[in-house]
Amino acid sequence: MEAERGEVEQPLRMVGGDGEHSYALNSWHQSKAIINAKTILESAIEDMYKALLPLQSFTVVDLGCSSGPNTLLVVSQVLNIISELHTKFSDKAPLPEIQFFLNDLPRNDFNSVFQSLENFKKKTEEEKGDLLPPYYIAGVPGSFHGRLFPSSTVHFFHSSYSLTWLSQAPSLQGIPPNRGNIYISKTSPPEILKAYREQFQSDFSRFLESRYEELSGEGRMVLTLIGQNHVDDDLLIYTRELLSEALNSMAIEGIISKEKLDAFNLPLYAPLLEEMKSIILSESSFFHLEQCYRTRHHTRREDDCKRHACSG
């Protein structure tokens, strides 16, 4: 049924482990997004690195890290970038130490992440040798829709696709019900779209305010979200309509309750690029927006997917 505020943060998580239905074996699309955003990641980290010289240590946080190979893909990219920057700008100084914090909700499969660290360490040492920066990895369970770290202690935040998840399904009290749907649909009342937009605006604003408090001077962020070109272009609408059809069939057969299905709405939202930019610019006293662009790539089924990436 429709989630109340604060309830969504606990039960939602990706399927852990490495089984057939695990996130680890079904996250090719997310991996592609991380790889495609590498250029903007390199640019943001280089700006931070040069601004912080001479650099002895710094802290990197991946928000919504999940589990599986994508989690350490981001760590690997940052290690490679820092190694190259050290050679380029400060090769006579010791390599800086890097503290990585991997954040996700408490029920995330952190055990799988920690169990993979030994093999990851061995692989990175073989590949980089003496050019590998000293690094430390720790998990931080909690919701990124609020504060996670002490003030001015983080130098770099990264998040890929995680901000698509809202802190809760939007409140639909006093507006027409979203009957037969579990997300925004072509048959949803206009008030449903408005409610989702307002929830995203509230969540994203709270996210930015929290990160502002936690970022140190000269800190940077790179955020990648599933997005849309226009309202009818939302890929989430298509995929969730298919899921709605399956659930409605189950309701007709009496497998699930029709009342509960009509009351349930997924806590997801794919914003327009203009929505993201508007919210960031409204927080202009907090952040300077350096880059914000829309790109697209194909899934394995060759369906177009829109993606927004912002750096600031």
Side-chain angles (χ1 to χ4, degrees), residues 23-43:
Y23 179 80
L25 294 185
N26 293 276
S27 54
W28 175 89
H29 183 75
Q30 291 86 342
S31 174
K32 187 72 171 178
I34 294 172
I35 293 171
N36 287 349
K38 186 180 178 183
T39 300
I40 195 170
L41 181 70
E42 290 172 335
S43 175

Side-chain angles (χ1 to χ4, degrees), residues 38-223:
K38 186 180 178 183
T39 300
I40 195 170
L41 181 70
E42 290 172 335
S43 175
I45 292 180
E46 179 172 341
D47 288 345
M48 178 203 70
Y49 187 93
K50 291 189 292 186
L52 293 174
L53 285 174
L55 187 63
Q56 295 181 333
S57 65
F58 65 99
T59 299
V60 176
V61 176
D62 188 24
L63 299 167
C65 66
S66 193
S67 60
N70 291 347
T71 301
L72 298 179
L73 173 58
V74 175
V75 173
S76 178
Q77 286 183 337
V78 173
L79 289 173
N80 288 335
I81 293 169
I82 294 300
S83 176
E84 293 171 2
L85 290 174
H86 177 266
T87 300
K88 182 177 180 181
F89 294 109
S90 53
D91 63 331
K92 294 183 179 180
L95 281 159
E97 296 181 326
I98 309 174
Q99 172 67 67
F100 289 100
F101 287 114
L102 305 178
N103 158 257
D104 213 308
L105 296 177
R107 296 190 183 185
N108 181 55
D109 189 6
F110 283 106
N111 284 336
S112 292
V113 176
F114 298 148
Q115 290 167 8
S116 67
L117 291 181
E118 185 176 352
N119 287 336
F120 176 78
K121 180 180 179 180
K122 181 179 179 181
K123 179 181 178 182
T124 53
E125 288 177 345
E126 290 175 350
E127 291 177 348
K128 304 300 294 184
D130 294 338
L131 297 178
L132 177 66
Y135 68 94
Y136 310 90
I137 299 177
V140 178
S143 171
F144 53 58
H145 289 109
R147 290 289 300 275
L148 291 165
F149 302 95
S151 299
S152 305
T153 58
V154 178
H155 299 91
F156 192 84
F157 280 110
H158 172 272
S159 181
S160 182
Y161 277 30
S162 302
L163 284 165
T164 300
W165 291 96
L166 302 173
S167 66
Q168 65 165 42
S171 174
L172 304 183
Q173 293 183 354
I175 66 177
N178 196 21
R179 298 190 188 282
N181 301 305
I182 59 172
Y183 181 62
I184 305 165
S185 169
K186 295 175 182 178
T187 62
S188 297
E191 294 87 347
I192 300 297
L193 174 58
K194 182 175 183 290
Y196 267 94
R197 280 181 169 171
E198 290 176 348
Q199 185 65 52
F200 175 78
Q201 181 175 359
S202 174
D203 284 352
F204 194 39
S205 295
R206 190 152 49 107
F207 171 90
L208 293 175
E209 291 170 4
S210 297
R211 303 296 81 79
Y212 171 76
E213 294 294 336
E214 296 163 349
L215 271 174
S216 66
E218 303 298 340
R220 300 289 195 278
M221 292 198 301
V222 171
L223 311 175

